[in-house]
Amino acid sequence: MKTKYINWLIYAVLMVVVVTWLGWGKPNKIIGMFFVSGLAVGSLYALGGIGLVVLFRATGVLNFANGAAGAAGVMTAWQLGQWGVWAPLTWAACILVALLISLFYGRMVAPLLAWREPVVKAVATLGFALIILGLVSFLWVDDPRSISLPTDKIGIKHLGLRVTATWMIVFLSTIGLVIAIYLFLGQTKIGLNMRSLANDRDLSALIGIPILKVETIAWGLSGLIAGFTGLMFGDLIRLEPTVITFMVIPSIAAAICGRLDNLMVVLVGGLSMGVIESLLTLSPVLKGARPIAPFVIASLVLLWSQRGTQLTFGGRD
């Protein structure tokens, strides 16, 4: 317990040092703008990481197709918007499409690979992601597009910095989701079944846990999160299928920070990655390192948290 508090203290000090260093000599308004923007992007990384962790803890599958499902969903929402469909229905369609894609893989493909090695399962989802990306790219050629939400026009100003309601929704949703999933996994029968299934699939089957039902719920939760994340990413960052598909990469880095198990560390890791990646833009020398920032952070967190012990994932010591 004492070590954990020391680790959090070291993290806080390092974040203050890094933010101060990257923002040194810049106006406070500029620093605040990039910091808030980084929190929004980091929230999306954390959301993606949370979806990956929920699924991994229940099925043992590291799903590289999460971003592709979100990309297909948000492109569907954009297309429906172009056809004049009522906006709330387009948002619902985004989440529904991502949900259906996730459930399709979870029920039709994943069970066939249930007894294969984790690497095989992960590579299979990568192939599925490329198939989805290919179909999406075929349906929607690479043209500049944008999608907006009514919350983009609502915001507050503080110290000359405008924070939109969309940014706040993403940030608060991420925190709320961490709390909700933590309670779900620890306090509900389905959540406990997920944890049992993650620990030992064979034993779970022997004691009567409905494996397909539990795994379907896990894939469904992952799809819902992917749809919401894709919609927010398309609005806040960039509406481009390839970019949204490979958003899963920094999300995986955030999930790895928590060893595919600790949701709170996934949240903090994702937010930190977003903030540091955003502030690196202020450095003429280091701004080229932005794409690798999430992986450097994840590597440092793992090296520090696993010092003197064997490196493990998913809480399996």
Side-chain angles (χ1 to χ4, degrees):
M1 183 65 69
K2 182 179 179 181
T3 302
K4 182 166 68 173
Y5 287 130
I6 292 175
N7 286 339
W8 283 112
L9 178 60
I10 292 173
Y11 159 78
V13 171
L14 286 176
M15 279 299 295
V16 170
V17 170
V18 171
V19 171
T20 302
W21 173 51
L22 292 176
W24 189 263
K26 305 296 189 301
N28 290 335
K29 183 178 179 179
I30 298 297
I31 297 173
M33 180 178 67
F34 280 91
F35 186 87
V36 173
S37 175
L39 282 179
V41 176
S43 296
L44 295 174
Y45 292 165
L47 273 175
I50 291 166
L52 293 172
V53 169
V54 169
L55 185 63
F56 183 83
R57 288 181 64 169
T59 67
V61 176
L62 183 58
N63 185 18
F64 284 90
N66 238 27
V74 72
M75 291 306 299
T76 301
W78 175 84
Q79 185 63 68
L80 292 175
Q82 295 299 300
W83 290 342
V85 176
W86 186 42
L89 289 180
T90 68
W91 311 332
C94 173
I95 296 175
L96 179 61
V97 167
L99 172 63
L100 292 176
I101 289 174
S102 184
L103 287 176
F104 171 81
Y105 188 90
R107 290 306 302 265
M108 304 302 295
V109 182
L112 302 177
L113 303 171
W115 311 107
R116 299 301 300 271
E117 298 79 6
V119 173
V120 175
K121 296 178 184 179
V123 171
T125 66
L126 177 59
F128 186 59
L130 295 177
I131 292 172
I132 298 172
L133 178 59
L135 290 174
V136 171
S137 299
F138 175 76
L139 293 172
W140 292 282
V141 295
D142 189 15
D143 290 330
R145 298 182 180 89
S146 64
I147 190 170
S148 61
L149 301 173
T151 48
D152 295 340
K153 301 175 183 178
I154 305 171
I156 59 174
K157 277 194 174 183
H158 182 65
L159 299 177
L161 175 66
R162 185 174 185 271
V163 180
T164 68
T166 307
W167 288 7
M168 291 185 283
I169 288 173
V170 170
F171 180 70
L172 295 176
S173 296
T174 305
I175 296 175
L177 189 61
V178 168
I179 296 172
I181 291 179
Y182 176 81
L183 295 175
F184 173 75
L185 292 176
Q187 304 296 328
T188 67
K189 182 178 179 180
I190 293 295
L192 294 174
N193 287 344
M194 283 185 180
R195 295 171 63 184
S196 174
L197 188 60
N199 290 330
D200 195 315
R201 183 185 178 90
D202 293 332
L203 182 59
S204 298
L206 288 175
I207 63 177
I209 291 177
I211 293 180
L212 282 180
K213 177 182 177 181
V214 173
E215 288 188 339
T216 299
I217 293 173
W219 281 99
L221 287 174
S222 177
L224 291 173
I225 295 172
F228 178 75
T229 305
L231 181 63
M232 295 297 106
F233 197 95
D235 175 76
L236 292 174
I237 311 300
R238 191 173 176 182
L239 183 58
E240 185 176 326
T242 302
V243 174
I244 300 174
T245 295
F246 290 104
M247 179 199 68
V248 73
I249 303 301
S251 295
I252 289 174
I256 288 175
C257 282
R259 294 173 54 200
L260 297 168
D261 179 69
N262 192 319
L263 292 174
M264 181 55 69
V265 178
V266 173
L267 171 64
V268 174
L271 293 176
S272 302
M273 290 172 187
V275 169
I276 292 176
E277 185 179 2
S278 179
L279 290 175
L280 282 172
T281 308
L282 299 175
S283 172
V285 177
L286 298 176
K287 63 181 180 181
R290 289 184 61 202
I292 66 172
F295 307 100
V296 172
I297 296 170
S299 299
L300 293 176
V301 170
L302 284 176
L303 289 172
W304 177 261
S305 62
Q306 294 296 309
R307 63 194 185 282
T309 63
Q310 181 181 0
L311 181 62
T312 62
F313 290 93
R316 297 175 175 84
D317 296 318

